[in-house]
Amino acid sequence: MGLNLAQKIIKNHLVSGEMVAGSEISIKIDQTLTQDSTGTMAYLQFEAIGIPRVKTKKSVAYIDHNTLQAGFENADDHKYIQTVTSKHGVYFSKPGNGICHQVQLERFGVPGMTLLGSDSHTPTGGGIGMLAIGAGGLDVAVAMGGGPYYLTMPKVCKVELKGQLNPWSTAKDIILEVLRVMSVKGGVGKVVEYAGEGIKTLTVPERATITNMGAELGATTSIFPSDDVTLKFLKAQGREQDWVELLPDADAVYEEHIVIDLSTIEPMAAKPHSPDNVEKISSIGKIKVDQVAIGSCTNSSYMDMMKVAAILKGKTINPNVSLVIAPGSKQVLTMLAQNGALADMVAAGARILESACGPCIGMGQAPCSDAVSLRTFNRNFEGRSGTTSAKVYLVSPEVAAASALTGVLTDPRELGEAPKIEMPKEFVINDNLVIEPAPEGSNVEVVRGPNIKPFPLNKALSDKVEGKALIKVGDNITTDHIMPSNAKLLPFRSNVPYLAEFCLTPCDPEFPERAKANGGGFIIGGSNYGQGSSREHAALAPLQLGIKGVIAKSFARIHMANLINSGIIPMTFENEADYDTIDMNDELVIGNAIEQVKNADTIVVKNLTKNTQFNVKVTLSDRQVQMILAGGLLNYTKVNNG
Ligand code: F3S
């Protein structure tokens, strides 16, 4: 039986598990990327593993998210990331060099390789034929340390593109059509693999627009083959040597099959407030537009920008529209400056922003109240723009530029002939904002501003786990209760000791002090403990306070996994009535803990204060048992890859 693209790459990188959809597998990671908002924590975690140099083929740290510097915090993060990456063998892409996914595609991506990035739009790399997956910072830290990445073997959905796009219809419209068909949940547990004659008509940056927004399908990732089009792109980037052909077998099997006829695709928009709320521009009508924002990792390539410049050339934007444009990388910006396209944009009234995420992450350019904002970005959730009452429409650069001129949502076909922009034979290459790591990391001093604090690291499980029941909470405690997140605490995401001072304080303001005074202990929880978000800090803050185990009636799945990653034992009462027998400050002991965790799914806990004992269940996979014994995922990685 033939293999599809995803299966071929997975097979080449398989470390454990069977390639059967739905079962757990682990794969070797070739490349990693981080951006600054998740990167600081990822490098603190990598440091905690204690491995001197990264073990990937190439790891890159980008600064593209928090480039505004109102206070010292962002600048401190940047300095820390620059020095810690130099020490440990990671390339550093300075602020100004561009948005991580755009630059990764231009300068680092290699077809057939695996890429793990601490950003949800890492699948952009699928445009060049990589298996590119977004993950948490901890997973990326482990991958940099040489540990495999664990995932559920995905189903593979073939999206067959037939025919060719008409003028003014774009790659953005293709992915909007896929979103309309599959919905924002339609890709969960799947890789979306593009095939068919139509893909030959799409350049790598166009393919990358499609794989980028595959994240909005909830897909594990999306991927295109590596073919002549890919070779042409890599040649133009001076990286011909990185090309390998990668095609699915002729008899490849797919779990799902969708056919899209490109010739039927019209200019479209995702209406507020969901990327799958898609409708043709022609049927939405001419709504008044207040703001147009062009850029982001979805649509900021050279080709995108050149089309925008061609539409704006010699014209003036509507007086009621604010137009901002952020070219995706230094390479793109340089080329626009050299060929005069930048001047055309500026002359038309566009405001040029730094090559960074900018308004996409709400860094400046929040629209006015009740505004209609057209954005070439990938997400239009309520409030993401920074203005809750704004209505954000996701559109192609062509629709955005046309609408900026008219002041109303405009079908670009009304402008007449579409500009013809050729892919350059050679891109301008100047990597002087990519800093290579020091050849000898041991001499590099890592600079830590006041906001950079070491990551808490657990110890290997001791044979006697003992401590007080430090807090007893009821049912449905959320990760927001465990680790509150608000605008005041957000800048401290790299400062776990500070955050821990707020752990579980919505339930009991005295808890952090009590935990510290007792040198740690146990948390007693009700049903569905840890529900809500996947917030890693909801496990890190208890770890910082010395929590050794959580005994609850039941756990939310992701929080339980995060506890295990931190080496905190999640235990459920065998008999829920035992919850009532425990009071705060009772002394609890698990004797013979190593053997008990290794051998049994039932563990005996003694309550010394009440002179009673009760059974708890521990449901762990073999790998999770090893993680608990080692004292968490980072220690486990150290033991297995150090
Ligand atoms: Fe940046 Fe927005 Fe992409 S925040 S990485 S441009 S989704």
Side-chain angles (χ1 to χ4, degrees), residues 172-191:
K172 183 62 158 277
D173 301 309
I174 299 175
I175 187 61
L176 289 178
E177 172 65 7
V178 176
L179 273 153
R180 191 187 66 78
V181 172
M182 290 181 74
S183 90
V184 289
K185 291 195 187 119
V188 174
K190 297 173 196 166
V191 170

Side-chain angles (χ1 to χ4, degrees), residues 41 451 453-457 470-471 479-486 488-517 520 523 529 535-547 568:
M41 181 58 85
N451 202 29
K453 289 286 180 311
F455 186 83
L457 199 57
L470 293 167
I471 188 169
T479 47
D480 264 332
H481 291 110
I482 305 169
M483 189 59 256
S485 167
N486 55 45
K488 280 198 185 133
L489 292 181
L490 203 61
F492 298 97
R493 53 198 294 162
S494 314
N495 189 344
V496 178
Y498 180 79
L499 288 180
E501 300 294 327
F502 300 86
C503 180
L504 279 166
T505 49
C507 303
D508 178 354
E510 314 290 319
F511 169 71
E513 278 313 311
R514 191 180 317 119
K516 283 191 286 182
I523 292 172
Y529 180 83
R535 194 170 305 156
E536 263 178 35
H537 286 87
L540 299 178
L543 171 61
Q544 177 73 38
L545 295 173
I547 297 303
I568 297 173

Side-chain angles (χ1 to χ4, degrees), residues 449-464:
N451 202 29
I452 310 286
K453 289 286 180 311
F455 186 83
L457 199 57
N458 213 330
K459 294 196 188 73
L461 186 72
S462 63
D463 214 22
K464 193 173 178 193

Side-chain angles (χ1 to χ4, degrees), residues 219-396:
T220 305
T221 190
S222 304
I223 188 167
F224 276 81
S226 171
D227 55 10
D228 290 349
V229 174
T230 323
L231 174 60
K232 199 171 153 201
F233 176 80
L234 283 171
K235 245 188 200 168
Q237 290 287 354
R239 300 203 290 124
E240 193 180 346
Q241 73 285 356
D242 286 341
W243 183 73
V244 286
E245 187 173 58
L246 186 71
L247 305 172
D249 289 335
D251 57 345
V253 176
Y254 297 86
E255 273 97 354
E256 240 178 88
H257 188 177
I258 292 171
V259 179
I260 292 179
D261 182 351
L262 297 183
S263 67
T264 64
I265 290 194
E266 290 185 28
M268 289 189 273
K271 299 185 295 178
H273 295 286
S274 179
D276 62 356
N277 189 15
V278 172
E279 199 176 324
K280 290 175 185 168
I281 301 287
S282 55
S283 64
I284 299 174
K286 294 195 174 297
I287 49 174
K288 194 173 161 303
V289 171
D290 302 283
Q291 184 195 50
V292 174
I294 300 176
S296 89
C297 55
T298 315
N299 275 122
S300 61
S301 69
Y302 173 78
M303 307 281 282
D304 284 333
M305 293 290 146
M306 287 303 291
K307 287 179 198 160
V308 169
I311 294 168
L312 297 178
K313 188 177 169 97
K315 307 201 173 85
T316 299
I317 59 168
N318 184 281
N320 298 318
V321 171
S322 163
L323 170 63
V324 291
I325 301 177
S329 67
K330 173 172 170 263
Q331 180 182 77
V332 174
L333 183 56
T334 305
M335 290 174 72
L336 299 178
Q338 285 181 353
N339 68 17
L342 191 62
D344 293 336
M345 293 172 169
V346 173
R351 297 152 67 193
I352 307 299
L353 305 180
E354 187 179 1
S355 293
C357 299
C360 182
I361 197 188
M363 280 277 159
Q365 308 306 325
C368 64
S369 299
D370 303 322
V372 167
S373 175
L374 303 190
R375 298 180 161 216
T376 66
F377 306 170
N378 45 36
R379 288 184 174 155
N380 60 344
F381 307 135
E382 199 168 2
R384 182 172 164 104
S385 66
T387 307
T388 317
S389 64
K391 295 175 204 70
V392 174
Y393 290 71
L394 305 175
V395 296
S396 68

Side-chain angles (χ1 to χ4, degrees), residues 386-425:
T387 307
T388 317
S389 64
K391 295 175 204 70
V392 174
Y393 290 71
L394 305 175
V395 296
S396 68
E398 286 86 331
V399 170
S403 306
L405 292 175
T406 59
V408 291
L409 182 66
T410 299
D411 188 326
R413 291 175 293 187
E414 293 171 19
L415 299 185
E417 207 177 318
K420 291 222 168 17
I421 309 290
E422 289 295 320
M423 168 88 120
K425 291 221 162 30

